Each structure stands twice: as structure tokens, then as C-alpha cells.
Amino acid sequence: MVNAGCRARRTQKSFLLYVIVRPTKENIGRAAEIIKNGGIVAFPTETVYGLGADAFNAEAVKKIFAVKGRPVDNPLIVHIAEVGDLIKVALRPSSGQDAFIEKIIEAFWPGPLTLVFKKRDEIPSVVSAGLQTVAVRMPAHKVALRLIKAAGVPIAAPSANISGKPSSTTAHDVYVDFGDTIPLVLDGGRTKVGVESTVLDLTVDPPVILRQGGVTFEELREIIPNVLRSGGLGVGSGKAPGMRHKHYAPRAPLVLALAARMVQDIQRFIVENQDERVGVLATLENADSYKGARVVVIGSRNNLAECARNLFASLRKFDKLKVDIIISEVFSREGLGSAIMERLEKAASAF
Ligand code: TXA
Ligand code: MG
């Protein structure tokens, strides 16, 4: 089970253990054993890497909050591998809603959509941060699904990053954040979607999007024509408790360019800050316009899926480039542009 290129550590017993491992059947089995025994492991999903524990085990879940430095008022998403497992964690909705919820699940699961239901008592309050609701999702990633099945329990998992930092889209990012403080990272390569799941509250009528993510507003509206966006149309913003906290922030302060005359605004910013190392988060189309700055290209403006996939890796790159300040291009809030903008705005508001 020797894995070339993985990170090793020496235990007190002095044998080598590998933290980052290929997701072989054997290693998924090891990860499942750790979960069953009340430990935590990192694993890939189609959105970002997760840091998981047995969702029914309060002590195990507390370890996640401890290693991430996560505020205790920020609830976790419970991951399941089969629709049939939903009933183990969530209360059955009122009978009139059944068909409607089935339709949503059929359209988007497995996939980057998290659904908020009333919770069952079996879900400890540490998972839901004291709320009477539980957020549930079925990830579209075979390693995640195999791990949940092998563990035999739903897995509570936030994104696998130190609280406040950009989420992890590779096993290496997870290792950079946590080192040996977690015993195992299943390496599924780079994640495909790159932004987290969309969080949809189904305990209210009409349903409200609490966090934009991999499933777009436009896609949801096809199935739920009256779906609302948190913060829009008079709906109280920030109902997803996590949205209140610092998020996605690279080390250097990040500001957003003005949408009107965006390229010129960034050029002026570079000149005005010429005594500092300025980083620019740029799209491919404009990357050559920012002379004198350290430019990280997020992707083509015409390919928002690519930009979403590269978003967190790009933000993390600025840490390596050791810039003093970052200015980012902006996107129109269409399709995945909404999820990208929500994250950039959070990253910018951290300072
Ligand atoms: O794609 C994802 O969702 C990733 C992967 C690992 O599945 N997970 C993830 O988890 O992004 P986390 O903990 O970083 O973000 C969970 C979000 C937070 O904004 C949290 O406040 C919200 O979901 N949330 C969790 N439970 C909730 C609940 N009961 N009611 C409202 N919001 C909830
Ligand atoms: Mg997170």
C-alpha cells in the first residue's frame, strides 16, 4: 500500500502512515472504520472536499468543529448515499409536500443541492448547531458514496478547510490546512464543480435558497417556479447560519473591482498601489491588461463552470504568491456567476 508522492508521517510506534491515500477499496474501508470508531476523515465530493464524521455521534462531530476552528453556531450538512436514508435523519414532510420533494430529489440528487428539513431527534444538536432543522445532501461522487455506504451511517461533513479559508478542491489543499491533525485524506483528484452545494430551505413555503452553489437559481426555478433567493424580495438574508461568518478569505485583503469600466478600475488600482505587491484575479479575456500585477487566471468569462471549478484554487494561489492586496474581476449574476459572486463578496467582506 505504498503510494508514491504521498505525505508520510511517523507515528509513536514508528511505522509510516500515509495521510493522503488513493481511494482504493481497501483505503475506503480504512476510512469507514475510522468513521465507525468515532474519528474524522477527509474525502472528495463533486463540489469540494469534505471533513466527515458519523452524523449520529456527537463526540465525533465535535472533533470536526475543533480541528476546523469552526464557530459552534454553524451547522453541518449530513451526507447520505441513498434516498431511502433521508428518513433516518429528517422528519417526513407534511403529506401534501411529498410529491413536490420527490420531484426535487429526482431532478438534483445525487448532486450539488443540499435540502433543509425538520430534523429527527437522532441527529445530535451539535450537527444542527441547535436548530430544529437538518441540511441533507447526496453527493454525486463515487468515492463519497462508497465511503458513506461502507461506514453504514450518514456522514456529517463541512468543507475540509480551516474555518474562514477558501474551501479545498484537492487532497493537497486539505493537507496544507490540516497536516497530520486528520488521519486520512481520500484523494479523488480535483473536484469537478469547485463551489459548494446550493442550500435550499424546504421548511418554508415557498422554498428559499440560503446559499448559492453548484445548482443554479435558473435550474431550480424550472422545478420550483416560485423559489426565492435569501436576501432578495424582502426575504431576510443570511438565514444559512454559516453565511454570517468570515469565509473563503485568502491571506491578503481582497477587494472587488467596480462592474462598470472593470478593466480600467483594476488598472488604476494597480497604479495607485504600486508600492505594494498587487494580485489580480482575472479572466482569460482580460489577463494581459494588468501589467505590473501578479495575475491569477480563473478561467474564461465564457465558461462559468471553469471559473467556478478554479475559484478556490485561484484564491489559494495568492497565498503562495505572497501578495499584499488582491483585486478581483466581477461576474454577472447569471447561472454559476451568482455562486462565484457570493463567494467573492464573502471573501472581500472578511477584512
Ligand atoms: O458542497 C458542499 O455543500 C460541501 C461538501 C463537503 O458537501 N459542504 C459544505 O459544508 O460546504 P459547509 O459546512 O462548509 O457549509 C454548510 C452550509 C453552511 O452555510 C451552513 O450554515 C448551512 O450549510 N447549513 C447547514 N445546516 C443548516 C440548517 N439546518 N439550516 C440552514 N443552513 C444550514
Ligand atoms: Mg465551508
Side-chain angles (χ1 to χ4, degrees):
M1 200 195 47
V2 173
N3 252 335
C6 23
R7 321 234 148 204
R9 67 177 170 144
R10 230 166 245 289
T11 66
Q12 283 163 336
K13 285 182 189 153
S14 206
F15 50 74
L16 284 172
L17 269 185
Y18 290 93
V19 177
I20 300 179
V21 297
R22 282 185 297 124
T24 57
K25 193 166 177 232
E26 189 197 8
N27 284 333
I28 292 174
R30 276 174 65 200
E33 281 306 309
I34 294 173
I35 301 257
K36 282 191 217 172
N37 291 321
I40 59 177
V41 294
F43 60 97
T45 80
E46 80 281 31
T47 56
V48 298
Y49 276 70
L51 185 58
D54 175 354
F56 293 133
N57 183 338
E59 292 311 310
V61 170
K62 282 182 194 161
K63 292 179 190 168
I64 295 176
F65 282 86
V67 297
K68 273 190 65 114
R70 184 178 176 101
V72 290
D73 64 352
N74 190 3
L76 306 184
I77 294 171
V78 173
H79 297 71
I80 58 174
E82 284 164 33
V83 177
D85 288 343
L86 180 57
I87 202 66
K88 296 181 187 163
V89 298
L91 293 179
R92 188 172 280 285
S94 56
S95 52
Q97 262 194 310
D98 267 7
F100 171 62
I101 287 169
E102 253 172 49
K103 205 169 144 193
I104 298 171
I105 287 175
E106 198 160 298
F108 298 108
W109 276 8
L113 179 68
T114 293
L115 301 173
V116 177
F117 299 95
K118 295 219 172 74
K119 84 172 187 72
R120 290 192 77 95
D121 289 345
E122 287 82 353
I123 291 293
S125 69
V126 60
V127 172
S128 63
L131 299 174
Q132 290 309 306
T133 55
V134 62
V136 190
R137 107 172 175 97
M138 190 195 299
H141 196 293
K142 59 180 190 290
V143 175
L145 295 173
R146 282 181 192 153
L147 174 65
I148 300 163
K149 281 186 190 153
V153 286
I155 293 183
S159 50
N161 52 277
I162 297 290
S163 210
K165 286 188 64 167
S167 303
S168 296
T169 52
T170 65
H172 182 256
D173 291 344
V174 180
Y175 191 83
V176 167
D177 277 18
F178 297 106
D180 295 344
T181 58
I182 49 178
L184 207 67
V185 183
L186 292 172
D187 187 353
R190 276 191 80 162
T191 60
K192 210 171 101 209
V193 178
V195 291
E196 300 88 341
S197 61
T198 300
V199 179
L200 180 69
D201 189 353
L202 290 177
T203 67
V204 288
D205 187 20
V208 176
I209 299 171
L210 302 179
R211 178 178 73 180
Q212 312 259 4
V215 170
T216 64
F217 173 65
E218 292 84 350
E219 286 167 331
L220 275 176
R221 212 171 37 184
E222 276 179 30
I223 308 289
I224 316 166
N226 58 349
V227 67
L228 297 176
R229 287 194 253 203
S230 175
L233 302 172
V235 179
S237 66
K239 206 190 153 211
M243 302 307 282
R244 283 197 297 265
H245 298 287
K246 174 178 160 182
H247 252 96
Y248 315 124
R251 273 194 211 117
L254 181 142
V255 297
L256 299 184
L258 296 172
R261 296 173 60 80
M262 183 183 73
V263 172
Q264 290 88 334
D265 186 43
I266 295 177
Q267 287 169 334
R268 196 179 55 230
F269 185 90
I270 297 168
V271 173
E272 282 170 0
N273 291 279
Q274 53 189 309
D275 295 338
E276 311 225 55
R277 287 167 298 190
V278 177
V280 179
L281 186 58
T283 53
L284 193 60
E285 288 76 5
N286 301 323
D288 289 340
S289 310
Y290 308 127
K291 299 281 177 271
R294 291 162 202 222
V295 177
V296 173
V297 179
I298 188 172
S300 166
R301 194 159 274 284
N302 298 321
N303 186 346
L304 289 175
E306 179 186 37
C307 294
R309 189 156 52 240
N310 293 332
L311 174 65
F312 291 131
S314 303
L315 291 176
R316 282 174 175 264
K317 239 179 233 167
F318 287 114
D319 288 350
K320 281 208 209 100
L321 290 175
K322 299 199 178 7
V323 294
D324 299 312
I325 189 152
I326 305 161
I327 184 162
S328 174
E329 288 191 12
V330 291
F331 295 83
S332 69
R333 283 164 219 271
E334 280 155 36
L336 283 169
S338 282
I340 295 170
M341 281 305 290
E342 192 173 276
R343 282 154 185 78
L344 286 174
E345 280 169 350
K346 283 296 290 181
S349 70
F351 299 93

